[in-house]
Amino acid sequence: MDHSQAGQDAANARRAAWMRVLALADPAALHGAFSALGSVPAHQMLRPAQTGMAMVRARSGGTGARFNLGEMTVTRCAVTLADGVVGVAYVQGRSLRHAEQAAVADALLQMPDWHDAVQEKLVQPLARQHADKVEAQARVAAQTKVEFFTMVRGED
């Protein structure tokens, strides 16, 4: 792999990470954090937010053969900023506003002038909020954990 390919792979990984945070964000929390950005550049819709279905695939035990688990509702959106930067988003559920705001945030994160501010005011708080939610769910699940053990009978 050459050096430029490694750099592109790293950039793609960073973009995938912030797109994941935006997609997993609570829609109300995203809206609040998005409002904290203030006035953002105008955008045009390349693909207005629309809702559809996507097939969810799984593997038995995480390693087995793939199978179709079922369908889920997904909303997608694509926007472009005045300078031609394109932002896209796919979010679970039917929130058109969530998909549009995530797409605009994706576009802004690709702009050097906006990247740091959007990371600080939007992505990092949403990532912390999601991590806290996952940790709280893990604590609740841990309360129901059952430890199984075998007792040795005392017969000779």
Side-chain angles (χ1 to χ4, degrees), residues 45-82:
M45 295 289 184
L46 285 177
R47 181 180 303 241
Q50 54 190 187
T51 301
M53 301 294 282
M55 180 58 68
V56 178
R57 301 199 67 191
R59 290 179 184 267
S60 180
T63 59
R66 290 184 187 185
F67 64 94
N68 293 338
L69 183 64
E71 292 183 330
M72 66 180 277
T73 306
V74 176
T75 303
R76 67 181 180 181
C77 184
V79 301
T80 184
L81 302 180

Side-chain angles (χ1 to χ4, degrees), residues 64-110:
R66 290 184 187 185
F67 64 94
N68 293 338
L69 183 64
E71 292 183 330
M72 66 180 277
T73 306
V74 176
T75 303
R76 67 181 180 181
C77 184
V79 301
T80 184
L81 302 180
D83 63 354
V85 175
V86 174
V88 296
Y90 286 81
V91 300
Q92 180 179 349
R94 299 177 179 272
S95 177
L96 303 179
R97 182 177 69 180
H98 183 180
E100 183 178 347
Q101 288 178 330
V104 171
D106 176 47
L108 292 174
L109 283 159
Q110 296 175 64

Side-chain angles (χ1 to χ4, degrees), residues 14-27 29-31 33-34 37 87-92 97-110 118-119 121-124 126-127 130:
R14 286 191 299 273
R15 186 172 183 207
W18 76 57
M19 290 179 81
R20 180 180 190 278
V21 169
L22 295 169
L24 292 174
D26 175 66
L30 176 62
H31 180 66
F34 198 83
L37 290 176
V88 296
Y90 286 81
V91 300
Q92 180 179 349
R97 182 177 69 180
H98 183 180
E100 183 178 347
Q101 288 178 330
V104 171
D106 176 47
L108 292 174
L109 283 159
Q110 296 175 64
V118 176
Q119 276 286 347
K121 295 179 181 176
L122 192 106
V123 176
Q124 291 172 0
L126 292 174
H130 180 71

Side-chain angles (χ1 to χ4, degrees), residues 2-3 5 10 13 16 29 32 34 50 54 63 65 73 80 85 105 111 113-114 116 128-129 135-136 142 150:
D2 65 351
H3 189 65
Q5 181 64 36
F34 198 83
Q50 54 190 187
T63 59
T73 306
T80 184
V85 175
M111 299 176 62
D113 294 346
W114 279 89
D116 291 342
R128 278 192 301 273
Q129 190 176 53
E135 183 180 323
T150 304

